[in-house]
Amino acid sequence: MEKYGGKYIVRGGAVETLEGDWKPKRIVVLQFGSMQRAKDWLDCEEYREPRKMRHRTARTRMVVVEGV
């Protein structure tokens, strides 16, 4: 991830739903310099096997958001 300019902003920790009915057990927030760099990391060779493992072991919802 670092190779693509990414860094962890949030990695686990307590989660409390304040509004709505979404009740995630764990949240990870990554920061990249651009949406394209995030997509490059997601599709890179180095992340291919860890991504497969994540798909086998976790129910994932992932979005990319442009902003600060």
Side-chain angles (χ1 to χ4, degrees):
M1 180 179 62
E2 289 177 13
K3 176 180 174 182
Y4 295 88
K7 68 177 183 176
Y8 286 99
I9 302 300
V10 175
R11 192 173 182 181
V15 177
E16 180 180 350
T17 300
L18 299 178
E19 292 187 3
D21 60 0
W22 186 39
K23 301 199 183 315
K25 294 179 182 172
R26 184 169 194 264
I27 293 182
V28 176
V29 178
L30 305 173
Q31 179 181 17
F32 289 87
S34 69
M35 291 177 81
Q36 187 57 53
R37 290 304 281 170
K39 293 174 189 179
D40 291 345
W41 162 74
L42 186 63
D43 293 328
C44 75
E45 179 65 33
E46 299 92 340
Y47 190 55
R48 184 164 290 136
E49 289 306 313
R51 186 178 185 190
K52 287 178 186 177
M53 182 177 63
R54 182 174 51 79
H55 286 166
R56 285 192 307 270
T57 60
R59 185 172 163 203
T60 302
R61 292 183 176 98
M62 185 181 297
V63 297
V64 61
V65 179
E66 188 171 27
V68 178

